[in-house]
Amino acid sequence: MTSSHFFFHFLSLFVIFLIIIKVSQVHGIGSVFNVQDFGASPDGKTDSSQAFLKAWDQACQNNGGGTVLIPIGTFLLNTLTLNGPCKGPMFFNINGLLKAPLGKVQDDYWLLFEHIDGLTINGQGSLDGQGPSAWSMYNDNGPNPPSSIKFNSISNAFLQGITSINSKFFHFQINKSQGVHFQNMTIIAPGESPNTDGIHIGDSNDITINKVNISTGDDCVSIGPGTFNVHISEVNCGPGHGISIGSLGKYQNEGDVNGVIVTNCNIGKTQNGLRIKSWAPSPPSKVFNVTFVDINMNYVENPIIIDQHYCPHSSCKSQGESQVQISDVKFINVKGTSASKEAVVLDCSKSVPCQGIELRGLQLTLDGQQSTFATCENANMKFNGPQIPSQCS
């Protein structure tokens, strides 16, 4: 075989390989189980929950795994639990629109995936949590509304392409999971919608969020206790409450948070930008090894804020200090405009002051010209180099 023939033979094999990879990303590997073959109706009115469950069970028990295929159409689904373990990798390929039931429901999830190792949720479709029908029906003293998708004990999951609209509570809730990756997704809810966090992570590790557009009524991304090794990059956030670690210290024996990197993100017209918050008083825990770098702010009310006196209810005020130790936190090259003159707030605990807080390369102005200032309490910090603001007032 001549070298040119070898090259074209190799090129042909490579193209075939790419086609196989593309097909596997869209449809999955192994047998395909179309929910309509199990009785799902695309009319948006007929409950298709049992058909989805049957398709999932068949795919899950298929040797080598399988794909649950949701074709174009509108499918009404009630609360649904999709269990593992499965006999191979699972693909949940959404091309249509999934609609949640209207109004208040009993469970704290709409779609629950649990005990699965190897899960891909992808496609060009959407999930509509129908939040406007339920937001006014819940209050802080009752049970939580349902998250649109909840993960329990999931390993090696990949979410790509899909859109989540108007969740009743969190859009995505990650619990006791590892190796969960979000990429090229859209998350949407009105700015006034309550508790519609885009992605909430708790007691989980090795989480990546890349190229996700999040417009919501609460935190774009919230990182709860017991979470480590989180990498957030190229996220567009706004409206909402920004990217938050916490709230922490509400319960006894919470796990620490460490190894969080947030880079190359755009945050616009949000209540907060980059935030760490803990309750006061609180039991002891730790937050450490956190880096925010190359973040662009556009008219953000609190671009940088550490709040260790977080208390959304008046009953907990003036009852003590947070015992959450915050240390080794870096804010590097955070630039843009603030909606207030006070662009940096470091409100740390008197009992366990913040340690090793570094601010470098800040350029935060009120309107592109007017300088802003920083306020700092109980914080061991340093401002490195000429910047705006350049010190605590």
Side-chain angles (χ1 to χ4, degrees), residues 49 77-81 100-112 114 129 134 138 142-150 152 167-170 173:
S49 302
L77 295 178
N78 278 299
T79 299
L80 197 59
T81 300
L102 293 168
K104 192 172 183 178
V105 298
Q106 290 185 336
D107 297 289
D108 68 351
Y109 60 87
W110 172 26
L111 303 179
L112 172 64
E114 62 180 355
Y138 292 90
N144 286 333
S147 297
S148 286
I149 287 186
K150 185 175 182 179
N152 271 342
S167 59
K168 289 184 174 73
F169 193 55
F170 302 156
Q173 184 175 4

Side-chain angles (χ1 to χ4, degrees), residues 182-195:
F182 297 81
Q183 186 169 350
N184 294 320
M185 292 172 52
T186 300
I187 298 171
I188 304 171
E192 66 276 10
S193 57
N195 297 311

Side-chain angles (χ1 to χ4, degrees), residues 56 86 88-92 113-122 151-160 174-182 204-208:
W56 174 269
C86 298
M90 290 295 296
F91 288 75
F92 198 74
F113 295 84
E114 62 180 355
H115 307 302
I116 303 162
D117 185 359
L119 171 66
T120 297
I121 301 176
N122 63 358
F151 287 165
N152 271 342
S153 301
I154 297 293
S155 299
N156 305 310
F158 183 60
L159 294 87
Q160 182 180 35
I174 316 303
N175 182 52
K176 296 181 180 178
S177 297
Q178 59 182 3
V180 180
H181 311 284
F182 297 81
S204 298
N205 61 277
D206 299 325
I207 311 297
T208 62

Side-chain angles (χ1 to χ4, degrees), residues 40 60 167 198 281 354 376:
C60 182
S167 59
C354 296
C376 311

Side-chain angles (χ1 to χ4, degrees), residues 122-246:
N122 63 358
Q124 302 302 311
S126 301
L127 302 99
D128 183 357
Q130 304 221 70
S133 70
W135 290 327
S136 64
M137 297 181 177
Y138 292 90
N139 58 64
D140 293 332
N141 297 321
N144 286 333
S147 297
S148 286
I149 287 186
K150 185 175 182 179
F151 287 165
N152 271 342
S153 301
I154 297 293
S155 299
N156 305 310
F158 183 60
L159 294 87
Q160 182 180 35
I162 62 173
T163 298
S164 178
I165 305 166
N166 288 345
S167 59
K168 289 184 174 73
F169 193 55
F170 302 156
H171 287 261
F172 298 91
Q173 184 175 4
I174 316 303
N175 182 52
K176 296 181 180 178
S177 297
Q178 59 182 3
V180 180
H181 311 284
F182 297 81
Q183 186 169 350
N184 294 320
M185 292 172 52
T186 300
I187 298 171
I188 304 171
E192 66 276 10
S193 57
N195 297 311
T196 52
D197 293 38
I199 301 171
H200 176 77
I201 310 161
D203 291 312
S204 298
N205 61 277
D206 299 325
I207 311 297
T208 62
I209 302 169
N210 176 246
K211 296 182 179 178
V212 179
N213 298 318
I214 307 175
S215 301
T216 187
D218 209 291
D219 297 327
C220 291
V221 180
S222 54
I223 299 169
T227 299
F228 59 96
N229 293 346
V230 177
H231 191 185
I232 301 167
S233 61
E234 297 181 69
V235 166
N236 295 316
C237 169
H241 293 181
I243 297 173
S244 295
I245 296 175

Side-chain angles (χ1 to χ4, degrees), residues 39-75:
S41 174
D43 63 6
K45 300 176 182 178
T46 305
D47 181 11
S48 294
S49 302
Q50 290 305 307
F52 272 64
L53 188 59
K54 289 175 183 177
W56 174 269
D57 288 342
Q58 290 267 347
C60 182
Q61 295 308 311
N62 183 65
N63 286 327
T67 296
V68 175
L69 176 63
I70 299 103
I72 293 174
T74 301
F75 299 89

